[in-house]
Amino acid sequence: MKEQKDIFNYFNKKDSDNPDASYFEHMANNIIEKETKKKTVTPLYKKPSFWIIAAAASLAFILVLNLPTSQEDNFLVALNDFSSNEIAGYISQNITDFDSDLITEYISENDIEEPVLAPIEDLEIIEESESNIRLENIDSQEILDYFDSEEIDIYEEDFQLDYDELYI
Amino acid sequence: MANPLDDKTIIELFNQGGANADHAFKAIVNQYGEQLYGQIRGIARNHELTNDILQNVLIKVYQNLSKFKGDSALYTWMYRITRNESINFLKKEKLRTGVDIDAPILEIIAGHDVLDGTTSEMISNLLQEAILTLPEKQAIVFHLKYFEEMKYKDISQKLNVSEGGLKANFHHAKQKIQEYILSQLNQ
């Protein structure tokens, strides 16, 4: 049997230029310096002042959250403290130049009441009554009296009697 | 050069902190730095990379020495850190910069028919691959005996292992490396 040659006899190690002792000494000193610095730097969360400041900041934040955030909110909150009658009384006594535009600025769309329309049954009654109260069925004197009471001048130039408008 | 400190003294001094810890760490670097450098250099193949890896290794040693329980020799523990750090560092570095680490650590001597068609770079790479396949103890003994050319007596003191055990480990390591290299070249 052929003996296997020892492979290690057929290659040599190449000499690498290993650094001298001062290289290792320098490296050790560098690492000690760096690691010592790391140890002396206290993490922020370990400092008592950090927790005091954090507590104060949290308290301030909670207070801010509970305060009204704007002047408009202040105004609305104050209005809620008075009844509608009190407000109406104050306006009639103290505010002569009442500006409805200004008021509407503060009334949200949801707060505006829907106009109450007449029920359909009532409208039918009116329609029925139309036929009964036609112009030809009314006495002329009654018509003149009506114009009088409504202060309508039938002799004005731009007045044109529209019979359809005279339905009651 | 001051008298070398044994593992127990180094650890005790380090755990005392302050100047004693500094003294202990300097002793580690002084006693083991050159061997760790050689171990890394065998894998990294150039001084710049070796320097970076060694620095990382020694930082890890500094940061973790207080947790070292002494179950193995201090050098064995550092060898393990060095091997892992070298492999991981080079993996990242290869991905990042495509660094070429094929500078040979061996020269081929003519006469072996299997080695004739190979290059020094190829055989150097195969040797490093083969070392990585070895059990840790065999790899350490092989490194200290083959690359560092230490005497069995000194290795025995360093690793707290009997000389007979070291010889057996070295023999097995050489055999496994040879088998690995030949099997790779015969493929």
Side-chain angles (χ1 to χ4, degrees):
Chain A
M1 187 180 163
K2 193 182 173 185
E3 196 183 335
Q4 194 179 40
K5 288 179 181 175
D6 186 350
I7 200 172
F8 285 93
N9 293 332
Y10 294 90
F11 45 69
N12 280 335
K13 286 171 289 170
K14 266 192 160 182
D15 287 333
S16 62
D17 43 349
N18 275 9
D20 58 18
S22 66
Y23 164 83
F24 295 104
E25 201 178 318
H26 185 66
M27 186 176 272
N29 287 334
N30 270 349
I31 291 169
I32 288 169
E33 196 183 334
K34 276 183 194 170
E35 293 301 310
T36 312
K37 266 186 193 170
K38 267 190 205 169
K39 277 184 187 171
T40 52
V41 176
T42 315
L44 196 58
Y45 67 88
K46 285 187 179 172
K47 292 181 179 174
S49 57
F50 170 78
W51 291 108
I52 293 167
I53 292 166
S58 306
L59 189 65
F61 182 68
I62 291 164
L63 286 173
V64 166
L65 279 182
N66 288 322
L67 286 173
T69 52
S70 69
Q71 217 173 0
E72 189 178 320
D73 288 342
N74 280 333
F75 177 71
L76 292 173
V77 169
L79 272 184
N80 288 337
D81 293 340
F82 301 100
S83 69
S84 304
N85 288 338
E86 282 175 308
I87 294 167
Y90 177 84
I91 290 170
S92 63
Q93 282 173 17
N94 298 294
I95 304 176
T96 50
D97 53 342
F98 188 84
D99 185 358
S100 57
D101 288 343
L102 182 68
I103 296 296
T104 50
E105 275 182 30
Y106 291 97
I107 301 173
S108 72
E109 205 174 329
N110 294 334
D111 293 337
I112 299 170
E113 284 183 7
E114 288 286 323
V116 181
L117 299 173
I120 293 170
E121 304 85 56
D122 293 349
L123 291 174
E124 284 168 358
I125 292 165
I126 291 169
E127 277 174 11
E128 280 173 12
S129 66
E130 277 178 13
S131 56
N132 299 329
I133 316 172
R134 305 290 296 181
L135 193 60
E136 53 266 28
N137 298 330
I138 303 171
D139 183 62
S140 306
Q141 190 54 48
E142 274 183 278
I143 294 168
L144 289 171
D145 288 346
Y146 171 77
F147 286 150
D148 233 14
S149 67
E150 294 293 322
E151 293 178 344
I152 299 168
D153 186 0
I154 57 170
Y155 299 108
E156 272 183 17
E157 279 182 14
D158 57 347
F159 180 81
Q160 288 192 340
L161 188 62
D162 183 350
Y163 286 98
D164 290 339
E165 287 180 3
L166 290 176
Y167 292 154
I168 298 172
Chain B
M1 184 176 165
N3 285 337
L5 301 177
D6 60 52
D7 289 1
K8 200 181 163 197
T9 310
I10 287 174
I11 293 158
E12 277 173 6
L13 282 173
F14 189 82
N15 287 333
Q16 285 167 15
N20 284 341
D22 294 353
H23 178 60
F25 185 70
K26 282 178 187 174
I28 288 174
V29 179
N30 183 35
Q31 288 172 214
Y32 301 107
E34 208 169 324
Q35 283 137 22
L36 296 177
Y37 181 93
Q39 184 191 342
I40 300 164
R41 185 72 186 255
I43 302 170
R45 315 284 175 82
N46 74 56
H47 174 73
E48 284 70 32
L49 283 176
T50 305
N51 180 62
D52 291 345
I53 296 169
L54 181 62
Q55 190 154 310
N56 289 353
V57 168
L58 291 175
I59 287 170
K60 282 191 175 166
V61 168
Y62 189 97
Q63 289 172 343
N64 295 293
L65 191 58
S66 55
K67 296 173 204 160
F68 176 66
K69 292 173 187 169
D71 294 335
S72 62
L74 189 56
Y75 180 74
T76 308
W77 178 66
M78 291 193 293
Y79 181 92
R80 196 177 303 144
I81 295 173
T82 306
R83 183 152 85 162
N84 292 338
E85 185 63 30
S86 303
I87 294 167
N88 292 335
F89 188 94
L90 290 173
K91 262 186 205 166
K92 283 183 205 162
E93 200 67 12
K94 266 187 179 176
L95 285 175
R96 198 172 65 85
T97 61
V99 65
D100 188 16
I101 51 161
D102 58 2
I105 52 169
L106 299 172
E107 281 176 334
I108 297 173
I109 303 166
H112 197 297
D113 46 355
V114 179
L115 295 178
D116 278 349
T118 62
T119 62
S120 298
E121 287 83 8
M122 199 189 291
I123 207 72
S124 300
N125 290 340
L126 284 175
L127 177 64
Q128 284 305 333
E129 283 174 24
I131 292 171
L132 291 176
T133 66
L134 294 177
E136 188 178 78
K137 195 165 268 182
Q138 289 179 15
I140 294 171
V141 175
F142 181 81
H143 175 76
L144 293 176
K145 184 70 188 157
Y146 185 74
F147 288 108
E148 301 295 327
E149 297 178 355
M150 283 176 73
K151 292 175 182 168
Y152 282 121
K153 189 185 164 193
D154 295 336
I155 300 172
S156 167
Q157 282 176 350
K158 194 182 273 287
L159 302 181
N160 298 323
V161 181
S162 70
E163 286 187 41
L166 292 175
K167 283 174 187 171
N169 274 320
F170 184 64
H171 174 75
H172 288 305
K174 271 183 80 175
Q175 228 173 12
K176 284 179 186 172
I177 289 170
Q178 179 155 304
E179 282 167 16
Y180 180 87
I181 291 173
L182 291 176
S183 71
Q184 294 296 311
L185 291 175
N186 285 326
Q187 272 181 2

